[in-house]
Amino acid sequence: MFSSALKSFTSNISANYTIASTPTSVCGAWKVYDGKKKSTGKAVSVFIFERKSLDPHAGGLGPRSSSSSLRKVHDEVIARVKKESNLLARLRHPSILELAEPIEDTRSGGLMFATEPVTASLAGLLQDRDAQEKIGGVAGQPSRFVVQDENGQLQRRELEIDELEIQKGLLQVAQGLEFLHESAGLVHGNLTPDAIYVNAKVGPLR
């Protein structure tokens, strides 16, 4: 009986994937980790939302209030994030992030799910470029991120945000939005650089 109860709290992703100890990037409330499926070696990105990020004492998102009302707000936020993340399971389009493992609860009360490998968010790329320019770099200087090569191996690759990449990226974002509006009947509602990802295989935006 005890073993059955313990098994019910075991994360499918944690059990079947090797997850890096430190995140490769932070996108809004999500921390993104490199991962690899133990049985096949297939690379993924693991998105983890920690409930403690909502704690106002930790500089999180939650408001200062009584313990009971604060917990209620946290539960509502978790439920909403889970619902929105679950939408990826039924969305299939080249410009929509591909889900590898559905969202699940973590032992700490947070959430996690796995997707195709991503290099970084658009916000991360822009922040990296801004940082390079502040230390005397040249505008358009390549940024270094980990990507997946044609053999499935992770390696460092230089990414440059030039005019052509911007045009291609805008087209891919527009195609993704068209799919959401026309085919899925959904409105994104949060189109920010944190919500746009660069695919690790070939570099398109998601």
Side-chain angles (χ1 to χ4, degrees), residues 10-195:
T10 301
S11 163
N12 175 62
I13 297 175
S14 298
N16 296 313
Y17 290 81
T18 300
I19 304 173
S21 58
T22 57
T24 57
S25 61
V26 177
C27 303
W30 296 92
K31 293 182 179 179
V32 186
Y33 297 77
D34 286 334
K36 184 174 290 188
K37 192 165 188 177
K38 296 177 181 178
S39 60
T40 64
K42 182 179 180 181
V44 298
S45 286
V46 179
F47 288 67
I48 298 179
F49 176 87
E50 297 178 344
R51 189 184 184 97
K52 64 182 181 181
S53 68
L54 299 174
D55 185 355
H57 301 293
L61 305 175
R64 296 181 179 275
S65 184
S66 66
S67 177
S68 59
S69 61
L70 188 60
R71 181 174 181 82
K72 182 179 179 181
V73 170
H74 288 187
D75 289 341
E76 291 174 352
V77 171
I78 291 289
R80 181 169 182 176
V81 170
K82 188 173 185 178
K83 180 180 178 180
E84 293 177 350
S85 300
N86 271 328
L87 289 174
L88 283 177
R90 65 183 184 89
L91 298 175
R92 293 288 185 270
H93 187 273
S95 295
I96 301 294
L97 196 62
E98 181 182 344
L99 192 68
E101 294 289 345
I103 195 165
E104 59 185 48
D105 298 309
T106 65
R107 290 187 179 184
S108 61
L111 301 169
M112 70 189 317
F113 63 93
T115 71
E116 61 179 307
V118 296
T119 302
S121 69
L122 179 59
L125 289 175
L126 294 174
Q127 289 169 4
D128 183 80
R129 191 171 100 164
D130 288 345
Q132 289 178 354
E133 292 180 358
K134 285 180 180 179
I135 61 175
V138 180
Q141 180 178 348
S143 303
R144 293 182 176 273
F145 291 94
V146 175
V147 296
Q148 183 182 15
D149 63 22
E150 59 184 9
N151 296 318
Q153 300 298 314
L154 293 178
Q155 61 179 358
R156 301 197 71 82
R157 171 188 165 196
E158 293 190 354
L159 294 175
E160 183 176 352
I161 306 177
D162 57 21
E163 184 175 350
L164 179 59
E165 290 297 324
I166 292 173
Q167 292 174 354
K168 288 169 58 180
L170 289 173
L171 175 60
Q172 290 157 1
V173 170
Q175 290 172 335
L177 291 174
E178 181 182 33
F179 167 76
L180 288 177
H181 295 170
E182 301 298 331
S183 299
L186 297 171
V187 176
H188 193 290
N190 186 37
L191 189 60
T192 67
D194 273 322

